Amino acid sequence: MNRGGFISSNSVDEGTRNIFIDLDDHKEEYSAYFTQIGFILEEGNGYFYFSRKESKTTLVDKLKRFGHWIDILDFLKAWDPALGPGFTFIKADLMVKMDSDIELREKAKSLYESKIRNDEICDRLMEELSRQGYIELLDDVSQRYQVAAAYRYLEDMVELIAFTEEDETPE
């Protein structure tokens, strides 16, 4: 978790679900403990994660890196607007859609410019989403994945980016 991972309530791993329940039942105690060792226990809708107090420079860098996650979320929502926590999918279905949808294929190529083939892009995407705890592998043979509750973190972060008419620049 200290590397950006999440503990999701709907994890496919029973141990992880039990940790979530324990954290949820004893938030104050865990929060006090982790504060003493330099971490802030954060809670989202169905997930926990750690954060640290950071300088403004670090926050600016994080916002720049988050642009990549916005692109990933845009790609995933273009693939299937219903994608969200609890959603299950097979990686092959995503590859088939990429093969048949030019717009989706272009979005995919912009995610990983060094990757050319759809299977390379899908492999990298699944690895990155899994490593961060946004999806979990349900079945290795069929490459079936489940979207974790932590996926809401991405959606929530994007919702925080609000553009008003005042922010728009005239053409």
Side-chain angles (χ1 to χ4, degrees):
M1 282 177 54
N2 68 349
R3 288 192 210 132
F6 294 87
I7 299 290
S8 292
S9 61
N10 70 337
S11 176
V12 298
D13 178 63
E14 183 179 355
T16 302
R17 288 192 311 270
N18 289 336
I19 292 170
F20 175 86
I21 291 167
D22 196 43
L23 287 170
D24 195 43
D25 289 345
H26 306 285
K27 281 179 255 193
E28 292 78 21
E29 295 95 332
Y30 280 115
S31 183
Y33 172 77
F34 288 120
T35 298
Q36 291 177 7
I37 60 172
F39 291 98
I40 301 166
L41 180 63
E42 305 278 2
E43 179 182 17
N45 186 359
Y47 60 90
F48 286 99
Y49 66 98
F50 287 119
S51 68
R52 290 184 175 198
K53 285 196 172 201
E54 298 174 355
S55 69
K56 288 184 180 183
T57 305
T58 305
L59 290 174
V60 169
D61 291 340
K62 278 189 169 184
L63 286 173
K64 287 178 184 175
R65 286 192 312 267
F66 194 73
H68 174 66
W69 288 104
I70 291 171
D71 292 341
I72 288 174
L73 189 63
D74 178 53
F75 168 78
L76 293 171
K77 290 297 186 175
W79 170 47
D80 193 328
L83 195 138
F87 185 88
T88 61
F89 65 93
I90 297 172
K91 185 173 89 171
D93 292 341
L94 174 57
M95 291 177 48
V96 167
K97 180 75 173 193
M98 286 171 60
D99 287 338
S100 65
D101 186 323
I102 294 170
E103 181 182 349
L104 192 63
R105 189 169 44 246
E106 291 305 312
K107 285 179 185 270
K109 285 183 181 178
S110 71
L111 294 177
Y112 307 106
E113 293 178 4
S114 64
K115 306 294 183 197
I116 297 170
R117 297 187 344 246
N118 288 349
D119 63 329
E120 293 175 323
I121 293 168
C122 279
D123 288 345
R124 176 72 191 270
L125 180 62
M126 296 302 107
E127 187 271 325
E128 192 169 12
L129 289 166
S130 294
R131 186 180 67 243
Q132 291 299 318
Y134 298 125
I135 64 172
E136 294 184 9
L137 186 63
L138 288 172
D139 180 25
D140 194 33
V141 174
S142 67
Q143 292 290 288
R144 184 176 204 71
Y145 291 87
Q146 175 179 297
V147 178
Y151 184 81
R152 285 189 189 104
Y153 175 83
L154 290 176
E155 295 175 321
D156 292 345
M157 290 300 288
V158 169
E159 285 181 23
L160 288 175
I161 302 169
F163 296 98
T164 63
E165 290 182 13
E166 296 169 359
D167 293 333
E168 294 178 12
T169 55
E171 292 183 20

